[in-house]
Structure formats: C-alpha cells, structure tokens
C-alpha cells in the first residue's frame, strides 16, 4: 500500500491530537462543566469549548481524507485551541482540557507551517508576538 | 428570546446553503459518481467532493454554535466550494453540484467579508484577479 | 442520472427534517439555553438537546450516503427526538425545538417503518400505545 | 472531578476504538481504495466503508456526550462494523480495516450488552448463531 504509507508520522500524530482534543473538550464541557455550573457554563466559555471540539473534528477529517486544504483548517484549529486553552486556564479543574488544547495547537501549527501560506502564518505569528 | 432573534437572516441563509451543499456533494459523490465510475471516481475529484461536504458541515456547525470564528471557517469553505465547483464543471451530469457549491461559496464569502480579516480577504481576492 | 432520481421524496424530506432538527436543537442549546441558565442548563436536559443534534446529523448522513442501515439509525433518532421534545416541552420558550423534534421524529418513524425490522417497530409502537 | 472519573475504562476504550475505526475506514477508502480502483470502488463496498466511518463517529459522539442512548448507537455501530469487516476481508490489502472494524465491533457489542435492551441483543445474537 504505497499510498497509505505515505501518510507522514507527523500527520498521523496530528490526527490523534485533534481527536483527543475533540474528545476531551466535548466530554469535559458536557460531563464536567455542566455539572459544576457557575463560571463553567458562562456562555462564552462553554461555546468556545464546543467550537474547539467541532473544529478539531473538522481538522482531523480533512487530514484523514488526505485533503490539500488541511493546512488552512489546521491553522484555524490551532487558533481556536489556543483561545480555548486560555479560557480553560482561568477556571479550576480544567488542566486536562488545557493540556489537550495546547498539544493539539502545537501539532496543528506544525501542519499549518507546511502549508501554501506558511510564510503568512509566520508573519501572523510575528505580529501576534509584538502586540 | 432576544438572543435567538439576533441571528441574522444572512447567517440563517448561509447555514442552509452549507447544509444543502454538504447534502448535494456527499449524495452526488456516493450515489452518482460511484455508480458512474471513470472520471467521476478520479481520486482528486472524488476526494474534493468529500472535502467540500466535510468543510460545509464544519461551517454550518460553527455558525449554528454562534462561534466568532465562523468567518474564518466560512472563508476556507468558500475556497473549497469554488474548487469543487470547478472540478465538477469539467464532468458531465454534475450541474446540481456546481450550483450548490457556487451558492454556498457566495454565501460564505459574504460571511467572511464581515470577519476580522475582511481587509485581507479582499486583498487576496484582488491578488487572485490579477494572476 | 437514474440512480439519483431514485432517492424518494420521503427520504429527501427526512434528510431535511433531520438537518433542521440538528440546527434548531444545537442553536437553541448554545444560543438560548446557555444564555437563560437555570433549568435550561440542567445537565440532563442540556445533554439531551446535544445528543438529539448529534443523532440527527448521523441519520441525515446515513440517508445522504444511501446506506441500507438508515432505517435503524432513523429508529434511534426518532426515539431521541421524542425524548427531547418532551424535555423541551417542560420549559418555557422552547416551542421551536419541540416542533422541530416532533417533525423529525415523525419523518424518521416513517423511514424506520420501511426497514427490515419494521414488524418489530410496529410491535413496539403498539406496545407504547397500550401503556 | 467525581463525575469525570465515573467514565468507565471500558467506555473510554470504546470511544478510542470508534475513533480509530472511523480514522482507518475513512482514510483507507479515500487514500487507498480510490487509488486502487476496481473492486475497491465497487459502490456497495465503498459506501459501506463510509457508512462505517460515519456511524463510528456517531457512537463516539454519544459516549463522549455521556448519552444514555449510547448503547443503542453502539449496537448499530457493531452491526455495521461487522458487515464492513466482512466486505473488506473479501478484498486484498485491507487487513488494517478488517482489524479496526472487528475491534470496534467487539467493544461496541460489550457496550450494547449493558444497555436497556441487552436481553433483546442476546436474543438477536442467538438467532444469528442458529441461522
């Protein structure tokens, strides 16, 4: 199966991180945050967790399909994961979610850096650092 | 329900177009292209149809969630829909798919134009026109 | 396109109802219930709305794929939609969701009745009516 | 986090198997079967692989949500995974897919056996064995 073995180790790892982040964000939101209530169901925070779960599923899906557009999807995924990690870090008992989001973001940023717009991505990263 | 009525008519329409494009691309690929074979199952074309279906689902999902990241997701969706429409237009009997992709792309481009990076999007559009 | 035209009007309608119910349940949960809080974010109710959204997406997906297993998926979908409609009916301001769930349930029950286990489904229906 | 730790090891394992089976079936269909052509894109076989991927995503999703309906979804998932494993076993070079489907089916059957309709499931199993 020459085609299948061509799937890079890095992409296989990124698919796993996306599915793990989806699992952790969705499960934590529905089985932990909902039970705790209070800040944990603040609409902005809660929606961000489900947005993160959704975009992780989409990134995994495009990589699994072998889509050339996966780099752009991974770029957006990393952006949402970073925001979700920051939102979770402000709450108690969300360490698992913070970690899953950060690992997924790193992996997606590495995929995005291989994309056709990698130069622009680096530029955006530079701009973000100087803000 | 003050919050719910705040969902714009334009976004409601875009959600519908994304779900219609998902339905048409996935259904046409699996129930029409697979049966016809030949050029209709050429890997690049066929995968693009399923990528398009997947990204349409993701765009609809982020809009349905009320995510502030929907503009970026719609921008990518429009890009893939345009590519899918072009790929379908080269084959026989794919008019439904071409139309669904083009309608979805237009609607997503309008959503993307409202986004935080609308200026850059216009710039990219301008760059594309001068190629 | 002989294959495509073979998709029945009833199935086309059921796909639309499933996608409409997914849209309404997910959107209402994330943009209405979360904002209202209180009973609207009671874990059992809120999770049921997202379960309903998820299973509606799955039922639509199997019908769109042309899967022979769609009747079983529709049977489960109808069951969850009925439960979600009942849960929503106990709360204020959830009429849209109740209606979307009931329409989807009816449509899915009609699909399920065409399935290989239609006899059993009718039996279950009969049992339910005599409760 | 008392609620989160209540997720059983068995369910965690089943979620992983469902996501692994989704990944393998979708990736193999789109990146291996499409490239090989011939029997590998025979519509019945190819659609079954994508149906299997779809229902695995749905089963994982309901378990991740903590839905009480996951047993019914897992029962259907196991049924489709068994059919997909059998279809893949008739073709060359599909060992990975056969294994992923069989592992997922076993895990889903164990979840289904815990469900409210476990007695019926055992009955169906018994009926199948005597065919």
């Amino acid at each position: 199966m020459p085609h299948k073995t061509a799937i890079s180790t890095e992409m296989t790892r990124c698919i796993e991180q996306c599915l793990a982040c989806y699992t952790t964000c969705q499960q934590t939101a529905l089985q932990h945050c909902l039970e705790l209530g209070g800040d944990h169901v603040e609409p902005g925070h809660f929606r961000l967790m489900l947005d993160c779960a959704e975009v992780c599923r989409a990134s995994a899906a495009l990589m699994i399909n072998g889509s050339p557009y996966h780099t752009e999807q991974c770029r957006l995924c990393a952006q949402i994961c970073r925001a979700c990690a920051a939102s979770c870090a402000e709450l108690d008992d969300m360490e698992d979610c913070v970690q899953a989001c950060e690992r997924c973001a790193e992996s997606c940023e590495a995929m995005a850096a291989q994309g056709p717009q990698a130069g622009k991505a680096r530029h955006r990263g530079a701009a973000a650092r100087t803000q």
Side-chain angles (χ1 to χ4, degrees), chain A:
Chain A
M1 294 189 286
H3 193 89
K4 280 188 74 182
T5 53
I7 300 166
S8 73
T9 309
E10 191 171 14
M11 191 181 285
T12 298
R13 179 93 182 125
C14 191
I15 292 168
E16 288 169 0
Q17 298 288 5
C18 285
L19 293 177
C21 189
Y22 152 56
T23 300
T24 302
C25 284
Q26 184 86 13
Q27 200 169 53
T28 302
L30 290 207
Q31 301 200 40
H32 179 61
C33 295
L34 267 185
E35 299 290 340
L36 288 178
D39 288 352
H40 287 263
V41 292
E42 185 276 315
H45 166 71
F46 195 91
R47 280 198 289 262
L48 182 51
M49 289 189 74
L50 297 200
D51 292 346
C52 189
E54 199 71 62
V55 80
C56 284
R57 274 207 273 194
S59 292
L62 289 196
M63 286 187 281
I64 287 166
N65 279 5
S67 170
Y69 295 98
H70 75 272
T71 51
E72 285 301 302
Q73 188 65 58
C74 284
R75 194 187 317 283
L76 176 56
C77 188
Q79 195 183 347
I80 299 181
C81 284
R82 291 289 180 201
C84 189
S87 181
C88 290
E90 291 178 12
L91 296 170
D92 289 337
D93 261 344
M94 299 292 281
E95 294 80 13
D96 287 359
C97 220
V98 173
Q99 274 193 18
C101 288
E102 287 182 349
R103 278 193 206 122
C104 186
E106 272 174 46
S107 202
C108 281
E109 284 159 5
M111 297 308 299
Q114 300 171 3
Q117 308 195 336
K120 191 175 64 182
R122 278 194 296 271
H123 176 72
R124 278 217 287 258
R129 279 192 296 277
T130 59
Q131 278 177 351

